[in-house]
Amino acid sequence: MTFVRKLILHNLRMRWVQSTSIVFMVLLGVAVLFAFMLVGRGANDGLALSEQRAGAQLLLLPAKAGNYLSDTALLFSGAPVHHYMSSELFEEVRELEGVERATFQFFSQTLDASCCSASGETRLVGIDASSDWLVAPLLDDPAALSDGLADGQVIIGAAVDGFEKGTGRLLNNDVVVAAVMAATGTGLDSSIVVSADWARQLAAAIAGYQPFWELNGQPETLISAILLDVQPGREERLEAKLEALGDLRIVERSAVVAQTQQRLRAVFALLAGVAAVMALASLLQLCARYWSLSWERRGEFALYRALGATRGDLRRLICGEAFVLTGAGALLGLLVGGGLFALLLAQLSAAEAFPFLMPSIAVIALIALAVVAAFALLALLAIIIPLQRVARIEPALALQQTDIG
Amino acid sequence: MAIAFNTQTVVSAEGLGRSFASTTVIADVSLKLNRQSTTALVGPSGSGKSTLLSLLGLLLDKSAGHLELFGSSVESLDAGTRACCRRLGIGFVFQHTQLIGALRAIDNVLVQTHFLHAEDRKVLMTRIEGGVTTLPKRALVLLEAFGLKDRVHHFPHQLSVGQKRRVALARALLLKPPLLIADEPTNDLDAISAQLVCEALFSAAADGHALIFATHDNNLARRADVTVSLGRAI
């Protein structure tokens, strides 16, 4: 064990309250900053990606669907909507002046490990391959949708697992994975896509869904959502026509994205404020600690000077100690920050739907590095004055001491 | 600036003085320390013995006079060279031992080695057989020679005053410095410990060190080749 490490361990032991408080303060600051930066980055990326990939400009749903779900939940979270409308409505909408293109989707039950290969909660979505332009661009095999989807063929979202070998089980049926979608940061990532016809057949066989069919008609005549793009300059007129069609919930993507961005900005400003306060508190704590350290240990430093240590040697000693304490706090902080990140994500997801894209390992590593570097810089700032004080210690001071520490 | 540590005359002082504010602690002290010489500083408490030793050990700056160490005037030495002199040229046995409580006896002896610079290794190669790599072994040998074989891994608080003084002496002798300074080395020691420390100091002088020590012990002072009396004589 090196001399410096021995001294640091001794210092930790002898002044354990102060040393632990430094480590704890750094730990807290790093954890908060790390977790907040991960949430911020994931939400930012999710929002950008969902804006880029969410596709349709307008989402039309039965009006009742909006009674208990917000627009953001409908657009981003992929919350299951068991409300249906007649497929004839789709034909009407498609024919409206100003519609650039339109497609429909049929939402079925939420799947889990009890019925399917998917281990997590997964949404089953039926699409109309002939009119779809939303799913096709996301596929790893762009040709997979060119001939439509046969019964027993599925497209899985980026976050769906359990189909690694290209096959799996879905509501007592063997299925083959035709393609995998790229991540979108939305509920599509946790969706299994099948043809709308097969989705309806599967839904018709679910005993618990009979009340839906009694209320709305047989599933083969129903759809859940219409998605459409509008010709430029026709937005207002088309919206008026859509409203005239009756009980429709119209979700405008750009408005929802803007609103979500605004909310997220407010949340992140708050998070950034908390992180800044934590960083400042850490800086003050470190300053106070090293200020007192340079006073408490001046006899020890004087002895080193008397034994031939240069001012540079003492600076290296102080820096080493500061960085070891900061490093320990930072490493522990990253671990705690990872846990805090998971907790925050769960809380934010439960409280408000927003698009989120889990940062890659490389991004997480980069953020971790940035946070640690930031706290290393704080430690450096905190020891500047103590370093100057220690460098001024004269070796003659050693004569006034007894045993050191 | 490179220092020639192998000079025969280790210290040469003329009219040395030191004042603190308006108080003159020592004035007009002249002495010369050669290798293998032993010098005793005597005088009542407050007569400036420790101050003089601090001046010679480059722990304090002089206020007056001329001081040469290893043939170089101390005025001409920059801070780095002065530190180098303290590291390689001077072994200091402090009055209160000044061991580091965090470190075991062996690590206290070796503490100076952690501040060695690259160029120091060349100097030590000529001074100690095997150079710096043998220093841990040399530290053990010194502790054993001072009767501390079974105290090597003890912390200072587990040692008696006499044992601590011997650890401090081993620390001072580790790098075989040409100048050995001891401030009241037998103070507070029992007769046996005092005898052990004295023998170690005089043995080091016989080996080529220049030894100067402050003491209130007349018997010890009488063993020195030269006695310098400060202030009122005992």
Side-chain angles (χ1 to χ4, degrees):
Chain A
M1 189 183 287
T2 68
F3 170 69
V4 171
R5 274 158 60 194
K6 276 182 185 175
L7 281 185
I8 289 164
L9 287 180
H10 172 73
N11 192 34
L12 280 171
R13 201 170 55 238
M14 295 301 289
R15 304 174 178 93
W16 68 271
V17 174
Q18 298 98 318
S19 299
T20 307
S21 77
I22 288 182
V23 171
F24 186 70
M25 208 62 212
V26 173
L27 180 158
L28 215 59
V30 167
V32 169
L33 203 60
F34 183 53
F36 287 4
M37 283 180 78
L38 284 181
V39 171
R41 177 64 190 244
N44 198 47
D45 286 356
L47 200 62
L49 199 66
S50 65
E51 197 176 1
Q52 181 192 337
R53 290 180 169 173
Q57 288 174 309
L58 293 181
L59 171 67
L60 308 184
L61 297 154
K64 288 177 184 172
N67 288 351
Y68 56 90
L69 286 173
S70 68
D71 288 353
T72 47
L74 289 168
L75 195 64
F76 296 129
S77 72
V81 181
H82 295 301
H83 285 279
Y84 298 95
M85 53 192 170
S86 168
S87 57
E88 288 171 4
L89 198 58
F90 171 63
E91 298 303 331
E92 273 185 69
V93 168
R94 185 149 71 167
E95 297 306 319
L96 288 176
E97 193 184 342
V99 172
E100 172 111 6
R101 52 187 176 178
T103 188
F104 70 85
Q105 293 179 349
F106 181 90
F107 302 149
S108 184
Q109 73 182 108
T110 301
L111 311 170
D112 57 31
S114 66
C115 66
C116 309
S117 299
S119 59
E121 208 167 77
T122 308
R123 199 168 59 132
L124 184 61
V125 179
I127 64 163
D128 175 33
S130 63
S131 60
D132 176 82
W133 78 93
L134 301 167
V135 173
L138 304 175
L139 302 182
D140 58 347
D141 175 11
L145 266 183
S146 55
D147 295 327
L149 283 171
D151 293 358
Q153 277 191 316
V154 298
I155 291 170
I156 58 173
V160 174
D161 54 12
F163 293 87
E164 284 77 13
K165 290 178 181 171
T167 58
R169 294 282 293 169
L170 180 67
L171 297 167
N172 297 322
N173 293 283
D174 288 323
V175 293
V176 175
V177 177
V180 179
M181 286 181 283
T184 63
T186 68
L188 216 50
D189 294 347
S190 305
S191 298
I192 295 177
V193 172
V194 298
S195 74
D197 288 343
W198 197 44
R200 287 162 169 154
Q201 288 171 36
L202 293 171
I206 299 167
Y209 278 26
Q210 291 314 312
F212 292 126
W213 317 143
E214 285 166 15
L215 187 70
N216 300 295
Q218 288 308 299
E220 56 269 23
T221 65
L222 301 176
I223 59 175
S224 299
I226 299 169
L227 302 105
L228 53 92
D229 274 356
V230 185
Q231 290 169 357
R234 302 287 182 91
E235 291 85 356
E236 279 186 25
R237 285 179 65 186
L238 179 62
E239 214 157 314
K241 285 177 186 172
L242 289 172
E243 279 168 6
L245 285 177
D247 284 347
L248 279 178
R249 171 94 178 170
I250 303 168
V251 180
E252 197 180 338
R253 188 190 60 182
S254 59
V256 175
V257 167
Q259 191 186 28
T260 308
Q261 276 175 333
Q262 200 176 5
R263 279 186 200 158
L264 284 178
R265 266 189 219 112
V267 171
F268 292 142
L270 187 70
L271 294 184
V274 173
V277 168
M278 294 298 300
L280 187 67
S282 298
L283 177 64
L284 291 176
Q285 171 81 358
L286 288 172
C287 282
R289 178 69 194 96
Y290 287 110
W291 180 274
S292 62
L293 176 145
S294 64
W295 177 254
E296 289 164 14
R297 295 173 66 190
R298 66 194 193 289
E300 177 186 337
F301 297 135
L303 174 67
Y304 297 148
R305 294 275 286 126
L307 293 176
T310 60
R311 291 186 166 92
D313 291 331
L314 294 191
R315 285 193 193 104
R316 277 188 285 279
L317 190 68
I318 301 271
C319 284
E321 185 166 321
F323 285 113
V324 165
L325 284 174
T326 308
L331 285 179
L332 291 171
L334 290 179
L335 292 176
V336 174
L340 186 63
F341 167 58
L343 200 69
L344 268 176
L345 203 57
Q347 291 296 315
L348 285 171
S349 300
E352 179 65 52
F354 67 98
F356 188 85
L357 194 66
M358 181 63 82
S360 66
I361 297 292
V363 169
I364 292 174
L366 208 64
I367 289 174
L369 210 64
V371 171
V372 171
F375 272 80
L377 189 68
L378 287 185
L380 192 64
L381 286 174
I383 59 173
I384 284 177
I385 295 173
L387 276 180
Q388 288 171 343
R389 281 169 54 134
V390 168
R392 282 198 297 267
I393 288 175
E394 290 300 330
L397 187 65
L399 300 172
Q400 299 163 16
Q401 309 296 314
T402 55
D403 282 348
I404 314 292
Chain B
M1 181 180 175
I3 295 289
F5 289 108
N6 54 358
T7 54
Q8 180 59 30
T9 299
V10 174
V11 174
S12 176
E14 288 288 336
L16 211 54
R18 171 72 200 199
S19 303
F20 294 96
S22 59
T23 307
T24 299
V25 179
I26 55 171
D28 199 25
V29 174
S30 298
L31 53 81
K32 187 173 275 190
L33 305 180
N34 292 323
R35 285 176 178 271
Q36 293 183 304
S37 71
T38 54
T39 304
L41 280 184
V42 295
S45 296
S47 61
K49 299 188 294 298
S50 293
T51 302
L52 179 57
L53 293 181
S54 299
L55 293 178
L56 301 181
L58 298 181
L59 304 184
L60 274 179
D61 290 331
K62 62 184 175 55
S63 306
H66 180 73
L67 176 63
E68 276 186 16
L69 249 73
F70 315 111
S72 299
S73 169
V74 294
E75 286 102 342
S76 65
L77 305 180
D78 58 30
T81 312
R82 288 163 73 97
C84 178
C85 282
R86 286 196 294 268
R87 232 170 22 244
L88 298 178
I90 303 165
F92 213 119
V93 182
F94 298 95
Q95 191 175 354
H96 300 293
T97 71
Q98 271 95 325
L99 299 181
I100 297 174
L103 304 179
R104 296 173 192 276
I106 182 75
D107 295 318
N108 263 296
V109 176
L110 286 165
V111 71
Q112 220 167 349
T113 64
H114 297 285
F115 298 116
L116 289 178
H117 294 197
E119 58 272 23
D120 298 346
R121 294 168 189 273
K122 290 177 195 164
V123 176
L124 292 174
M125 188 60 86
T126 62
R127 192 184 289 176
I128 298 165
E129 196 179 343
V132 289
T133 54
T134 61
L135 289 176
K137 192 178 171 188
R138 176 169 162 75
L140 271 176
V141 170
L142 284 168
L143 286 174
E144 284 178 25
F146 295 155
L148 296 169
K149 188 177 180 179
D150 57 347
R151 296 286 186 274
V152 167
H153 297 294
H154 282 54
F155 288 99
H157 71 269
Q158 296 168 317
L159 301 174
S160 68
V161 176
Q163 288 167 334
K164 285 200 275 192
R165 189 68 53 82
R166 280 177 274 160
V167 172
L169 187 55
R171 180 175 68 188
L173 289 172
L174 181 74
L175 302 183
K176 289 192 176 176
L179 175 59
L180 194 56
I181 299 173
D183 195 357
E184 301 192 28
T186 58
N187 195 27
D188 298 332
L189 298 188
D190 59 79
I192 296 172
S193 292
Q195 180 68 18
L196 266 168
V197 169
C198 285
E199 292 312 319
L201 284 170
F202 281 91
S203 166
D207 282 347
H209 299 262
L211 169 66
I212 182 166
F213 59 92
T215 185
H216 291 291
D217 181 343
N218 288 336
N219 290 329
L220 180 60
R222 272 195 286 272
R223 287 187 62 181
D225 302 331
V226 178
T227 300
V228 176
S229 182
L230 296 175
R232 188 170 53 83
I234 304 171

